[in-house]
Amino acid sequence: MRTVYLDHSATTPVHPKVLEAMLPYYQDEYGNASSLHRLGRNARLALDQAREKVAAALHARSDDIYFTSGGTEGDNLAIKGTAFALRDRGRHIITSQIEHEAVLNTCGYLEKNGFEVTYLPVDGHGSVGLDDLKKAVTDQTILISIMHANNEVGTIQPIAEIGALARERGIVFHTDAVQTVGKIPVDIKDLNVDLLAMSGHKFYGPKGVGAIYMRRGVKVSPLAHGGHHENWKRAGTENVPGIVGLAAALEACVAEMEETAEREGQLRDALQKGIQEKVEAVRINGHPDRRLPGSLSVCFEALEGEALILSLDLKGIAASTGSACSSGSLEPSHVLKAMGIPIEIAHGSARFTLGRSNTREEIDYVLEVLPDIVERLRTMSPVRLSKSDGEA
Ligand code: PLP
């Protein structure tokens, strides 16, 4: 059966150049980057070159790039590391209600350990308000952590403005850029960030490897203690093939960014328009303009998102839903809830995230099968469409 993969915000296949770059470091160049012999020195050189490439992509200094196991570790290091380093200065952290669990649950952990966390609301498009942020700042605030773009609805936050405000007040600013690095321009200087986490597998790199930018002088306590790796910030033998792969992926994505974003944006718009034309009672989530080019979140009224995703899967289409099935009860997405979308509508959410290899023909195929699936599921649904949206 054909596969139409529209779940690139969950993960991506590796870019053709990535596997090629990684293979030698599994086979011939398998040295430990801490070893003094030739194989070790070659591994070290590969790490140095990878660091240079990541730094170049972000317009950062290579000494400010540290490799991690992915976005979750980067967010933990940024948030807990700052909290532990600055706990004597203050114990207040500001984040938003729509962050990824890697941020929300890390903040929850800190709340249980003596810190106070403010979760900023968002507007109907999923944007954080600067006025809300200003009001939340206290003389105890040590860290602001706001994601660059949301993984579910794709809304891009005003990071540069938030960063400027944080800098003015002497507060450390972290951004979870897992969904933006490699997709849209991420320039450390423009964004006014102190800490920025990314993840290789979201931009056609391997899984289980990431990086964090930590601006020189910003105090962050390490979470893993051990050897001198990553300048004492993250102990453990480096994942050389993974790091080489991450850097190759980022280099390729940056080189192709403009073209990819343009194509993805056109296909996403075609999918959005087609859904709006062919299916009644749908709602598009996220900011109309300040949104990731390949991101499309849709609520289909009077159906369950899970049922839709499973039906699409039977047709070879891979998408995802914002709601999660936990212990038999359907929890609607915390992101849609924070955006003020009624729970019964949030239950019918689906996320389509496009990538570099999607085609117009694939989008046409989705638009061919989707309306029938929606209609069938709605006839089985106990919930009826409201009159204003048309008779069900
Ligand atoms: N932050 C965001 C916004 C994400 O979308 C994800 C993954 O979905 C993560 C963090 C976690 O990244 P990783 O899978 O590399 O741990």
Side-chain angles (χ1 to χ4, degrees):
M1 200 197 348
R2 70 186 296 175
T3 301
V4 177
Y5 188 74
L6 297 178
D7 203 11
H8 291 83
S9 286
T11 197
T12 55
V14 291
H15 190 285
K17 285 187 180 157
V18 169
L19 197 58
E20 195 188 316
M22 289 172 75
L23 280 178
Y25 295 94
Y26 282 117
Q27 290 166 331
D28 307 324
E29 297 292 351
Y30 48 81
N32 183 322
S34 298
S35 299
L36 289 180
H37 48 67
R38 184 178 50 80
L39 284 176
R41 290 197 307 276
N42 288 351
R44 169 65 47 200
L45 183 64
L47 285 187
D48 291 346
Q49 287 171 345
R51 214 180 298 280
E52 294 285 347
K53 283 184 187 172
V54 174
L58 304 177
H59 303 275
R61 286 168 8 108
S62 62
D63 288 353
D64 292 347
I65 305 296
Y66 301 81
F67 293 110
T68 64
S69 65
T72 301
E73 186 189 328
D75 286 334
N76 271 263
L77 182 57
I79 297 168
K80 286 194 275 196
T82 303
F84 296 156
L86 302 183
R87 66 190 327 155
D88 292 337
R89 201 208 282 175
R91 295 193 170 213
H92 180 231
I93 294 167
I94 301 173
T95 186
S96 81
Q97 293 174 1
I98 61 161
E99 300 292 310
H100 187 270
E101 285 77 2
V103 168
L104 290 178
N105 292 341
T106 303
C107 288
Y109 167 83
L110 289 173
E111 279 183 293
K112 290 197 193 104
N113 287 276
F115 289 84
E116 196 198 323
V117 182
T118 301
Y119 298 89
L120 296 177
V122 291
D123 65 15
H125 290 144
S127 303
V128 167
L130 287 175
D131 286 341
D132 289 327
L133 175 62
K134 278 183 201 155
K135 278 187 216 137
V137 171
T138 73
D139 57 3
Q140 285 290 304
T141 310
I142 50 170
L143 173 70
I144 297 172
S145 178
I146 303 290
M147 69 200 319
H148 194 182
N150 181 263
N151 44 302
E152 192 179 332
V153 296
T155 299
I156 300 168
Q157 301 296 342
I159 292 300
E161 289 87 336
I162 297 172
L165 195 135
R167 202 153 280 179
E168 211 176 88
R169 314 277 167 108
I171 301 167
V172 176
F173 179 41
H174 165 59
T175 190
D176 171 341
V178 167
Q179 292 293 346
T180 52
V181 169
K183 293 181 193 165
I184 59 171
V186 175
D187 184 325
I188 289 304
K189 295 195 185 81
D190 292 350
L191 294 179
N192 300 320
V193 294
D194 298 309
L195 305 164
L196 179 147
M198 72 193 85
S199 174
H201 73 109
K202 306 289 186 182
F203 52 81
Y204 306 92
K207 293 171 181 59
V209 60
I212 181 167
Y213 161 80
M214 297 204 262
R215 194 163 66 79
R216 186 172 36 168
V218 171
K219 288 197 173 61
V220 175
S221 294
L223 302 183
H225 298 91
H228 61 277
H229 314 88
E230 297 300 298
N231 203 15
W232 296 101
K233 287 287 187 232
R234 199 261 183 183
T237 301
E238 299 88 347
N239 171 6
V240 179
I243 291 168
V244 167
L246 176 144
L250 189 51
E251 193 178 41
C253 281
V254 169
E256 296 165 7
M257 187 178 283
E258 220 170 300
E259 197 195 318
T260 308
E262 168 93 23
R263 203 179 46 244
E264 275 178 19
Q266 282 170 2
L267 291 179
R268 189 272 314 273
D269 291 347
L271 180 59
Q272 175 172 324
K273 191 161 168 272
I275 291 176
Q276 285 172 313
E277 280 169 8
K278 291 176 171 225
V279 185
E280 62 173 333
V282 294
R283 178 183 184 132
I284 306 300
N285 306 310
H287 199 283
D289 320 309
R290 290 179 61 96
R291 189 165 40 139
L292 291 173
S295 214
L296 178 60
S297 164
V298 189
C299 283
F300 296 86
E301 282 187 38
L303 58 74
E304 288 296 341
E306 278 75 10
L308 177 61
I309 298 309
L310 293 175
S311 302
L312 287 170
D313 187 40
L314 291 174
K315 297 281 184 190
I317 300 164
S320 72
T321 172
S323 40
C325 225
S326 60
S327 59
S329 73
L330 285 170
E331 279 294 318
S333 134
H334 69 282
V335 176
L336 300 182
K337 215 165 128 188
M339 287 165 60
I341 294 172
I343 287 180
E344 60 287 2
I345 293 178
H347 272 307
S349 74
R351 179 186 75 173
F352 304 93
T353 44
L354 284 71
R356 57 191 291 277
S357 53
N358 287 128
T359 62
R360 178 68 214 211
E361 196 258 326
E362 289 179 329
I363 298 305
D364 290 343
Y365 172 66
V366 175
L367 289 172
E368 193 187 305
V369 300
L370 181 74
D372 290 346
I373 293 175
V374 172
E375 199 183 312
R376 183 173 54 80
L377 292 175
R378 279 178 175 166
T379 55
M380 296 185 322
S381 168
V383 184
R384 295 274 159 244
L385 287 182
S386 54
K387 287 258 193 300
S388 59
D389 295 319
E391 299 291 340

